[in-house]
Amino acid sequence: MDEAARKKLEETTRWEPGESEARIFAEWMEGGYFHPDATGTADENYSVAIPPPNVTGVLHMGHALNGSMQDALVRMNRMSGKNTLWILGMDHAGIATQTVVEKRLKSEGISRHEIGREAFTERVWEWKEEFGGSIREQYKRIGASVDYERERFTLDDGYARAVRKIFSSLYEKGYIYRDHYMVNWDPGSQSAISDLEVVNEEVTDKLYSIDYPVEGSDRVLTVATVRPETMMADTAVAVNPKDERYGDLVGQHCILPLVGRRLPIIADDHVDIEFGTGALKITPGHDVNDFEIGRRHGLEEISVIGEDGRMTAEAGERFEGMTVAEAQVEVVKALEEEGALSAEEDYVHSVPFSERSGERIEPLISLQWVCQMDELAKPAIEAVEDGRVNIAPGQWKGVYLNWMREIRPWCVSRQLWWGHRIPVWYRGDETYVGETEPEGEGWVQDEDVLDTWFSSAIWPFATLGWPDDTPELKAFYPTDFLTTAREILFLWVARMIMTGIEFAGDVPFHDVYVHSVIQARDGRRMSKSLGTGIDPLQEIDEHGADALRFGLLAMSSTQDVRYSDPKVQQGRDLATKLWNASRLILLNTGAPADRTVPADPIALEDRWILSRLESAVETYTRLINEYDFAHAAQELYSFVFSDLCDWYLEIAKPRIYDGDPEIAQVLLHTLERTLALAHPVMPFVTEAIWEYHPYREGHLVVHPFPEADPSRISEAVEDEVGQAIAVTRQLRGWRDMAGVPPKVVLDAVGDAASVPEFVARLGRVEIGAGGGEVVATVAGFGIQASDELDMDAVKARIEARRGKVETELKKIEGKLANERFVENAPAEVVAEEREKVERLQAELAELG
């Protein structure tokens, strides 16, 4: 490094991420490292399609977590020499975006209906241009190496063409059709919504018991319901075929109170014998399960609640026009008047609400566009069964397959204005479905738009230019990896697999990793409304992007975990440690004329660190490729913090300051490989350090990723130094326990040749054959009395420690003597307790 760089490094005593991150990212962008040429094949290349954030969104902790996982893989593969593409884009997020803009209009005192569809759509596009790009800049803050030049949007012209082609093709194959279908109806947004936009909340309702007289008999069938207002739409009463109480009634009829309609009594396995009386009112028009039962038994479908959330004429003159809540009060009153209400009680249950409007969901039968999924699901099931798509962790494969085998038709239409307008036109009795508008006059396009998940389902190949045969499609499809949250495994992942196979001719990705959910610090879900959200940008401002990335990967798991400030701090500490260690190395080594590290260095500690480095490269790379990001992060931390900094540099400091030429080669080689190894997880600090490295040729972002060199891994060397480190730790531990001042070098009796030189130096002992009083034996060395020690105080401390060890040992031995504990406790717990006994016995022996 030149003098100016050296001076700057000398002055920069601390890693300050805020001063470097924006500059470094700008250099990466200027270098074009994230924008690969569309050459080669998907087998040779590496690609990932980012789960597209909503255009309404800001970077939240879920984005930060899956972004950190994706970027670690993308950077590692790019550094490994693969032509690597990370596809960036945003989702138009139909209902979410429409809701945001409608709220803005409301604040202006107008509604979308007042300004009309065309003007409203223009307002949404204006909003998108004003605010939609914020998340792009936020991805840069976390260091995401996506291709910012190939950004896609699910409503851009090319993407919209792909969506229309998919719809038209599915229609031509008979998979898409128009039908009256049960949907989650949101009275607030006046649209059907997906399951993901439904939140379930515990509610205390009244459970009413209503008597339905059995025709031609003095018997009654008593049904329990929390929704008496829907009873006017009842078309049957069902019992379980195994319920002996009602076996003789199946096939007969009962009479619907208030209405007088004859209802067939049917048998269906869905009925829970234990719930209520075991008799279930069947209302196909207003209950999802009843709808399925009704279709199985060919029941009439009556709707008494309209899309506006009010009772329809079918409910009867007394109730027509009432809200659902008003109708419930009146229906209960009417049942009491008729003498049909036999009981009521409080009942706590889960009730669906719209995440967007907050209104209670009304299951309604509505005229919708529906996609039959059975034929599409078959090859998608086979792809997971035969391993072409690997879903991890393993339990999610079973969940996926179970759902796919029971797949139901998909309602793909939404009663919104923002989104992909359904490519269907009507003229009188004629219906036209196509990719372009029909010729001629009088055609009117369908008012509905497609479910957002319909357009998202083609994301991996539509972003690469499908349906055109583009160079990008040839080079990067199928993609390699997808990380996702479990709640969209079916809504999104399964549908991408189905459409990928059907239209792009292959699975859309090879590996799916279902990541954990990072909860708030107190274990609740992160939520802005609950006040439990944690802003990743604030964490970056406070700790740096590298610290947050490391912390999120370190706290990730196959189980949901609470946000861990200590893990993020661990990441900050690691960045600081790496910076300080690098300064020590770079400011005390020149640029050796010969960069070659000897195959078998003379110094034991050099052979040890080179072996530990290659072991770390091997383990870390395997863990990243297995998507075990938490253990990969800890492996990196352990190598840098413990092996490199706490031990090797401390052992080697005398040689570093003496200018030993061989250690300069080892240090610079080790630092280069360590920076490249750490870069995918901690890109900013490693790139900043690399700027000062004498071997630097270009940016670290495209430096070769290290491949493990087995020839340098020596178990014998690692064992020898590992044992010497253990002895040093024991000596240091005894000193701390005995209260020996740090500057005091103790005399010890023993064989100095039995351990490497650094043991005595770092343990602060002088090993000889002196004849002084031995006050303790530590790791085989006799610690002698010293004039600089207050022996009474030392002996008192030793006795106190002995007492604690004996107490703890007795407690654990008692636990192990308990046969019930040994038989019932997990084997690993028992083994851990036995290891504790061995450690405590060894310590007791050393204490004398």
Side-chain angles (χ1 to χ4, degrees):
M1 93 184 74
D2 58 29
E3 284 304 313
R6 183 179 186 84
K7 185 180 181 192
K8 182 180 178 183
L9 185 59
E10 287 174 344
E11 293 172 349
T12 312
T13 57
R14 288 171 51 87
W15 165 240
E16 297 293 350
E19 298 175 5
S20 302
E21 289 176 352
R23 174 186 60 79
I24 290 171
F25 198 89
E27 290 180 10
W28 291 334
M29 290 291 288
E30 187 177 348
Y33 303 125
F34 307 156
H35 183 62
D37 292 331
T39 57
T41 66
D43 289 340
E44 303 163 342
N45 300 335
Y46 188 83
S47 60
V48 175
I50 200 169
N54 288 354
V55 70
T56 58
V58 294
L59 192 74
H60 59 60
M61 209 54 82
H63 296 132
L65 172 63
N66 68 40
S68 297
M69 290 177 172
Q70 292 170 85
D71 203 29
L73 288 161
V74 165
R75 286 179 181 270
M76 189 173 81
N77 279 277
R78 184 186 292 118
M79 294 171 73
S80 297
K82 291 187 177 181
N83 196 27
T84 301
L85 172 65
W86 187 7
I87 302 163
L88 173 66
M90 283 177 278
D91 195 294
H92 66 278
I95 193 167
T97 307
Q98 179 158 320
T99 301
V100 169
V101 178
E102 283 199 77
K103 286 180 179 176
R104 173 179 276 203
L105 291 178
K106 188 176 181 180
S107 70
E108 298 172 13
I110 54 177
S111 71
R112 67 181 168 105
H113 297 287
E114 291 176 80
I115 64 174
R117 183 169 193 150
E118 186 175 343
F120 177 77
T121 303
E122 288 177 5
R123 289 291 296 267
V124 182
W125 276 106
E126 289 171 7
W127 183 93
K128 185 260 179 187
E129 293 306 314
E130 186 177 353
F131 297 104
S134 60
I135 200 165
R136 179 193 312 114
E137 299 306 311
Q138 291 163 359
Y139 267 117
K140 293 179 181 179
R141 289 289 312 278
I142 203 168
S145 61
V146 296
D147 188 343
Y148 294 90
E149 296 179 53
R150 282 194 176 99
E151 182 181 331
R152 296 301 302 271
F153 180 50
T154 55
L155 270 178
D156 66 37
D157 291 342
Y159 204 102
R161 182 164 65 92
V163 170
R164 292 193 297 272
K165 185 172 183 62
I166 295 288
F167 185 96
S168 301
S169 298
L170 291 172
Y171 177 82
E172 289 169 7
K173 292 178 180 182
Y175 295 165
I176 282 184
Y177 54 92
R178 207 176 190 204
D179 191 15
H180 288 89
Y181 196 71
M182 175 65 68
V183 297
N184 298 315
W185 186 263
D186 175 10
S189 66
Q190 292 281 289
S191 174
I193 63 174
S194 73
D195 290 341
L196 191 66
E197 291 151 341
V198 174
V199 291
N200 290 296
E201 299 178 11
E202 273 204 349
V203 171
T204 300
D205 278 326
K206 288 292 183 185
L207 183 67
Y208 298 95
S209 295
I210 307 170
D211 295 335
Y212 286 47
V214 176
E215 187 179 54
S217 157
D218 59 358
R219 294 174 65 181
V220 296
L221 271 178
T222 302
V223 302
T225 180
V226 294
R227 303 209 67 193
E229 67 276 13
T230 65
M231 64 182 291
M232 285 78 73
D234 290 359
T235 54
V237 172
V239 296
N240 192 292
K242 298 185 180 71
D243 194 335
E244 296 177 356
R245 295 172 295 176
Y246 306 117
D248 62 322
L249 295 179
V250 175
Q252 298 188 43
H253 290 79
C254 59
I255 306 301
L256 177 62
L258 306 185
V259 178
R261 186 163 59 241
R262 295 175 74 238
L263 305 180
I265 301 171
I266 62 175
D268 196 280
D269 289 327
H270 172 77
V271 180
D272 182 357
I273 295 175
E274 302 299 324
F275 179 75
T277 64
L280 182 69
K281 66 189 278 299
I282 304 301
T283 318
H286 296 290
D287 183 272
V288 174
N289 294 316
D290 291 3
F291 176 77
E292 296 292 339
I293 293 172
R295 290 276 164 117
R296 283 199 292 273
H297 293 270
L299 300 177
E300 184 181 2
E301 296 168 352
I302 300 172
S303 294
V304 296
I305 301 173
E307 294 179 353
D308 59 357
R310 292 181 175 273
M311 307 304 288
T312 68
E314 291 279 1
E317 187 177 347
R318 179 171 177 177
F319 310 111
E320 183 181 1
M322 291 181 178
T323 66
V324 169
E326 291 168 346
Q328 183 175 108
V329 173
E330 287 302 310
V331 168
V332 169
K333 188 184 298 183
L335 288 168
E336 289 173 337
E337 293 168 359
E338 193 171 292
L341 187 66
S342 59
E344 64 179 78
E345 60 182 287
D346 287 341
Y347 179 63
V348 179
H349 65 134
S350 182
V351 173
F353 289 84
S354 168
E355 185 182 43
R356 304 299 174 187
S357 71
E359 296 272 350
R360 189 164 174 161
I361 293 297
E362 283 295 343
L364 295 183
I365 294 176
S366 176
L367 184 59
Q368 302 283 349
W369 285 96
V370 180
C371 185
Q372 192 66 35
M373 305 301 291
D374 306 64
E375 293 302 314
L376 292 169
K378 288 176 184 177
I381 290 171
E382 291 173 4
V384 171
E385 287 178 329
D386 64 24
R388 282 177 290 146
V389 175
N390 172 53
I391 300 176
Q395 72 264 28
W396 294 109
K397 175 181 177 180
V399 173
Y400 168 93
L401 290 173
N402 289 339
W403 185 82
M404 290 290 280
R405 288 170 183 146
E406 300 294 328
I407 197 165
R408 296 169 57 187
W410 173 19
C411 173
V412 298
S413 48
R414 296 290 182 266
Q415 290 64 54
L416 303 171
W417 285 357
W418 173 248
H420 291 275
R421 190 101 172 250
I422 288 180
V424 177
W425 288 261
Y426 309 102
R427 184 170 66 182
D429 294 333
E430 295 180 85
T431 298
Y432 172 85
V433 178
E435 298 173 45
T436 57
E437 292 185 28
E439 296 180 357
E441 297 181 353
W443 290 100
V444 178
Q445 189 171 2
D446 196 298
E447 291 289 322
D448 291 350
V449 300
L450 287 164
D451 178 9
T452 296
W453 297 104
F454 189 92
S455 52
S456 299
I458 63 173
W459 181 251
F461 55 93
T463 51
L464 295 172
W466 188 94
D468 295 333
D469 189 17
T470 64
E472 285 79 8
L473 202 60
K474 292 176 181 176
F476 299 114
Y477 187 87
T479 64
D480 291 273
F481 174 77
L482 175 79
T483 179
T484 186
R486 59 176 176 263
E487 62 265 23
I488 55 175
L489 184 61
F490 313 129
L491 286 168
W492 187 45
V493 178
R495 290 165 178 170
M496 283 192 287
I497 297 173
M498 288 185 272
T499 59
I501 294 171
E502 180 74 15
F503 294 102
D506 202 348
V507 296
F509 29 69
H510 298 301
D511 288 341
V512 176
Y513 181 74
V514 182
H515 63 70
S516 56
V517 173
I518 304 293
Q519 300 167 332
R521 294 178 176 96
D522 60 4
R524 291 185 291 169
R525 69 182 179 90
M526 286 197 191
S527 165
K528 187 176 181 181
S529 60
L530 293 175
T532 55
I534 301 170
D535 184 354
L537 298 181
Q538 289 182 2
E539 294 292 281
I540 291 172
D541 288 340
E542 184 174 352
H543 302 287
D546 291 331
L548 179 62
R549 289 166 63 113
F550 176 91
L552 288 171
L553 294 179
M555 71 181 81
S556 68
S557 168
T558 57
Q559 304 294 325
D560 292 350
V561 292
R562 297 184 180 191
Y563 185 80
S564 171
D565 291 297
K567 292 292 186 187
V568 177
Q569 185 59 50
Q570 194 178 48
R572 179 63 191 260
D573 293 343
L574 179 58
T576 299
K577 194 83 164 179
L578 190 55
W579 179 264
N580 292 340
S582 300
R583 287 184 73 253
L584 172 67
I585 294 169
L586 295 169
L587 292 174
N588 289 282
T589 55
D594 183 5
R595 298 182 182 182
T596 308
V597 176
D600 190 20
I602 297 171
L604 173 66
E605 61 266 26
D606 291 351
R607 298 198 301 276
W608 175 76
I609 194 60
L610 292 172
S611 179
R612 288 298 307 127
L613 171 62
E614 299 309 318
S615 295
V617 170
E618 184 177 73
T619 302
Y620 171 90
T621 304
R622 174 179 57 79
L623 291 169
I624 290 284
N625 284 326
E626 292 174 354
Y627 313 132
D628 188 349
F629 299 100
H631 286 104
Q634 291 306 320
E635 176 71 17
L636 178 65
Y637 182 90
S638 177
F639 172 74
V640 173
F641 224 92
S642 180
D643 295 342
L644 178 60
C645 298
D646 287 354
W647 290 107
Y648 179 67
L649 292 181
E650 290 303 312
I651 294 168
K653 268 182 182 176
R655 295 171 58 214
I656 294 173
Y657 293 139
D658 288 345
D660 182 334
E662 186 168 287
I663 201 172
Q665 294 169 327
V666 172
L667 285 167
L668 292 172
H669 168 85
T670 300
L671 180 59
E672 178 181 13
R673 287 175 74 75
T674 300
L675 294 175
L677 186 70
H679 181 80
V681 173
M682 309 182 77
F684 289 108
V685 67
T686 51
E687 189 74 77
I689 294 168
W690 181 241
E691 293 173 351
Y692 298 100
H693 200 291
Y695 298 170
R696 182 180 189 267
E697 294 176 2
H699 284 88
L700 189 65
V701 68
V702 287
H703 183 283
F705 190 78
E707 292 184 20
D709 181 356
S711 70
R712 288 201 181 275
I713 298 176
S714 169
E715 289 186 16
V717 168
E718 290 194 28
D719 286 345
E720 183 178 355
V721 175
Q723 290 171 15
I725 287 172
V727 171
T728 308
R729 282 196 173 111
Q730 287 177 277
L731 289 169
R732 286 174 166 178
W734 187 89
R735 291 174 64 98
D736 290 342
M737 184 271 297
V740 180
K743 292 184 179 180
V744 173
V745 177
L746 298 174
D747 290 328
V749 179
D751 181 6
S754 65
V755 291
E757 165 276 333
F758 68 79
V759 171
R761 173 162 50 87
L762 299 183
R764 304 292 289 158
V765 295
E766 187 171 329
I767 303 172
E773 177 190 0
V774 173
V775 296
T777 301
V778 181
F781 294 99
I783 305 298
Q784 296 178 306
S786 168
D787 292 340
E788 297 185 64
L789 296 179
D790 180 345
M791 291 312 301
D792 290 337
V794 169
K795 289 176 180 178
R797 284 172 173 262
I798 291 173
E799 286 303 315
R801 178 59 187 165
R802 182 185 290 111
K804 285 185 178 181
V805 171
E806 287 174 342
T807 300
E808 190 174 353
L809 183 60
K810 185 177 180 180
K811 179 181 176 182
I812 297 173
E813 286 177 335
K815 188 187 293 185
L816 291 171
N818 184 334
E819 291 182 7
R820 290 184 62 187
F821 169 77
V822 175
E823 290 174 2
N824 298 325
E828 60 270 20
V829 172
V830 175
E832 187 177 330
E833 294 299 304
R834 285 177 174 151
E835 288 175 8
K836 286 181 185 176
V837 167
E838 291 178 8
R839 288 199 303 271
L840 292 170
Q841 288 174 338
E843 184 179 353
L844 203 57
E846 288 190 345
L847 289 170

